[in-house]
């Protein structure tokens, strides 16, 4: 019979006892940003990602969107340009605000979610 050191045996017992309760290594009470977002390609999974994905991915890759870094005004001007010069259908006002809020937060000039 092999005798394991007490520390290792206790650690394994504590881990085994915790598993049925869904203990995770990092549970700080915050929600997973990807919860209920669905498939959003290369976009950062957060509120507004699904709506943004539905408009942007219909014409080009989400990687192209994710590589940009614009202010809210810059994103707004880009949407206007797409409608006026590229023939994109205008985004309804309610969805447009969601898209602009999402892009300004996650793909601004600081580019906090730039794909690596």
């Amino acid at each position: 019979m092999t005798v394991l050191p007490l520390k290792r045996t206790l650690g394994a017992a504590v881990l085994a006892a915790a598993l049925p309760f869904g203990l995770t290594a990092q549970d700080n009470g915050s929600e997973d940003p990807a919860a209920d977002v669905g498939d959003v390609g290369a976009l950062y999974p957060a509120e507004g990602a699904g709506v943004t994905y539905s408009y942007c991915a219909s014409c080009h890759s989400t990687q192209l969107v994710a590589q940009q870094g614009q202010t809210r005004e810059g994103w707004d001007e880009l949407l206007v340009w797409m409608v006026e010069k590229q023939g994109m259908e205008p985004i309804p006002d309610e969805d447009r605000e969601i898209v602009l809020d999402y892009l300004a937060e996650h793909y601004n000039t600081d580019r906090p979610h730039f794909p690596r």
Side-chain angles (χ1 to χ4, degrees):
M1 174 168 143
T2 305
V3 178
L4 297 174
L6 182 59
K7 242 183 185 177
R8 205 159 95 196
T9 304
L10 282 176
V14 168
L15 180 60
L19 287 176
F21 299 103
L23 182 67
T24 60
Q26 186 176 18
D27 185 9
N28 58 10
S30 64
E31 279 192 31
D32 178 2
D36 298 326
V37 177
D39 179 17
V40 292
L43 298 179
Y44 181 73
E47 185 176 344
V51 173
T52 303
Y53 178 85
S54 68
Y55 287 103
C56 297
S58 62
C59 293
H60 45 75
S61 78
T62 54
Q63 187 72 23
L64 180 65
V65 177
Q67 291 174 349
Q68 306 305 307
Q70 302 281 337
T71 62
R72 183 183 178 87
E73 293 76 26
W75 283 114
D76 189 47
E77 290 171 9
L78 193 56
L79 291 177
V80 168
W81 175 80
M82 287 183 217
V83 170
E84 291 179 354
K85 303 294 184 187
Q86 302 299 311
M88 182 179 94
E89 287 294 316
I91 299 173
D93 289 343
E94 185 177 326
D95 284 351
R96 185 184 178 88
E97 288 303 309
I98 293 169
V99 169
L100 287 172
D101 288 347
Y102 172 81
L103 292 173
E105 180 175 348
H106 300 290
Y107 297 102
N108 57 48
T109 55
D110 293 340
R111 300 180 353 168
H113 301 293
F114 184 78
R116 306 269 182 235

